[in-house]
Amino acid sequence: MNAPERPIFVVGCPRSGTTMLQLMLHAHPRIAIPPETRFLMAAYDARCDFGDLAEEANRLALARWIVDRKKTRFGDLGLDGEKVVQEIVAGPPTLGSALAIVLRAYAARFGKPRWGDKRPGYFQRIPALLRMFPDAQVVQLVRDGRDCVASLKEMDWYKQDAFHALSTWVESIEAGERAAKTLGPGAYHRMYYERLIGDPGTELKSLCAFLGEDFDPAMCEPEQIAAVAVPGRKVWHQRTHDEITTARSGTWRTRLTPAEIALCESVAGDLLREHGYEISGTGRPERGDHARYRRVAAHRRLATRKREILDLVRRRTEPSDVTARLTG
């Protein structure tokens, strides 16, 4: 039951298992999801700088911005940069089209018709993604917020604290709930990490039904393609090279302090319960923790609101359409 080649975007709180899900999707014979790129939202936010893409010179400048800059992580895709530049220049004059050409080329590298992208932080930018790719399907992976906080704290690249980590999880859940209401069941699909690792076949069959694709058993062995689809420098994804296991699920009980557990449960207890997670009632937050969390959450909400306002301003001066217009 092959579906129209709708783009697929995987989102979720960082450390919720989105890389594993990326590999599961990439193992499908018709779907390719690349390593995390750094150019979709960066290009969207900088769209006014590229000028009217109806002009070939501006499409060339955009193509070179994507292909040549190390920050975009284009090099991780294993593509012929000059060929991609030529395709963007010859393609439709919209930002979404240029970005889709890159991701489509990645899928073509593996002989697959469907493409997508994965980045946890896309949960903050779902409206922007839908502006560029109106027919996209969004897949959100939810994990116990306490495990996400515990895992984030242990990452060398994560420079924030447990308050920011918890706020990020809350924001991801709330963003997903908004997406579920606005996009509907044909464009938004929620999965749970714990169910996925506990019964991959059942959960992936449900995902494939949402995507309009036939289930393939290879999706249950994502470790088989980790060497292809996960850059070696990302040592924090080392476990993606191993078989699926439930061993790390629920380890927040020993990885968080009693005060951190109490903070998570007192701040996000309702959300945890709504999504099927039991509250332990362990410990009490440290004095002042609630106030500190509120400050962090308020600061993050303000930053989000500023970004949304800036986006509205940019929309008024967009030099060209952003919607992808690829037809094949």
Side-chain angles (χ1 to χ4, degrees), residues 230-250:
V230 177
R233 69 172 185 281
K234 294 190 174 183
V235 295
W236 54 90
H237 289 321
Q238 188 60 40
R239 290 190 180 88
T240 60
H241 296 262
D242 302 329
E243 293 182 0
I244 299 171
T245 176
T246 61
R248 299 283 286 181
S249 183

Side-chain angles (χ1 to χ4, degrees), residues 9-288:
F9 290 98
V10 177
V11 307
C13 179
R15 306 304 296 171
S16 60
T18 54
T19 299
M20 178 184 68
L21 182 55
Q22 168 216 339
L23 294 176
M24 289 172 164
L25 285 165
H26 192 72
H28 192 281
R30 284 178 37 85
I31 300 170
I33 308 291
E36 287 187 22
T37 62
R38 296 291 178 90
F39 56 80
L40 255 72
M41 297 320 308
Y44 178 78
D45 289 338
R47 60 195 182 279
C48 295
D49 298 338
F50 298 117
D52 186 352
L53 295 182
E55 299 182 18
E56 182 177 307
N58 292 337
R59 296 199 299 281
L60 176 60
L62 170 60
R64 299 248 67 104
W65 182 92
I66 294 171
V67 170
D68 295 341
R69 298 168 69 246
K70 289 184 178 180
K71 289 183 179 180
T72 65
R73 302 287 171 82
F74 178 85
D76 288 342
L77 303 183
L79 300 176
D80 182 334
E82 295 308 311
K83 183 178 179 181
V84 170
V85 168
Q86 293 172 11
E87 290 181 7
I88 291 175
V89 172
T94 73
L95 177 65
S97 299
L99 300 174
I101 283 170
V102 180
L103 296 171
R104 184 180 65 178
Y106 182 78
R109 174 188 162 194
F110 297 94
K112 300 179 180 183
R114 289 193 76 173
W115 54 265
D117 198 11
K118 183 277 290 189
R119 195 167 186 191
Y122 283 160
F123 75 79
Q124 299 175 313
R125 312 303 302 273
I126 292 175
L129 287 174
L130 269 293
R131 285 198 73 210
M132 293 187 287
F133 313 106
D135 61 339
Q137 291 182 288
V138 177
V139 180
Q140 181 183 20
L141 188 59
V142 173
R143 185 183 187 185
D144 189 319
R146 294 161 295 190
D147 272 330
C148 289
V149 171
S151 186
L152 277 169
K153 282 179 52 188
E154 296 169 355
M155 296 297 105
D156 290 341
W157 49 263
Y158 190 70
K159 306 305 180 184
Q160 303 291 353
D161 54 24
F163 298 92
H164 283 269
L166 178 57
S167 184
T168 300
W169 184 81
V170 170
E171 291 167 14
S172 72
I173 297 299
E174 293 175 343
E177 291 177 345
R178 288 192 298 271
K181 292 177 182 177
T182 58
L183 301 184
Y188 172 85
H189 182 73
R190 180 184 296 137
M191 304 181 71
Y192 289 92
Y193 171 80
E194 293 80 10
R195 299 177 192 173
L196 182 58
I197 60 175
D199 188 356
T202 298
E203 297 303 309
L204 290 170
K205 287 176 183 176
S206 176
L207 172 61
C208 286
F210 163 73
L211 296 174
E213 298 287 352
D214 294 322
F215 168 73
D216 191 289
M219 299 175 74
C220 295
E221 298 181 333
E223 72 279 2
Q224 297 296 326
I225 60 166
V228 174
V230 177
R233 69 172 185 281
K234 294 190 174 183
V235 295
W236 54 90
H237 289 321
Q238 188 60 40
R239 290 190 180 88
T240 60
H241 296 262
D242 302 329
E243 293 182 0
I244 299 171
T245 176
T246 61
R248 299 283 286 181
S249 183
T251 55
W252 54 266
R253 293 176 177 85
T254 57
R255 297 160 73 195
L256 294 178
T257 68
E260 289 171 333
I261 295 172
L263 176 67
C264 291
E265 294 183 350
S266 59
V267 166
D270 287 345
L271 285 177
L272 287 166
R273 290 188 191 93
E274 287 173 13
H275 290 272
Y277 300 108
E278 295 183 359
I279 302 303
S280 70
T282 300
R284 297 177 59 184
E286 297 285 351
R287 184 177 180 181

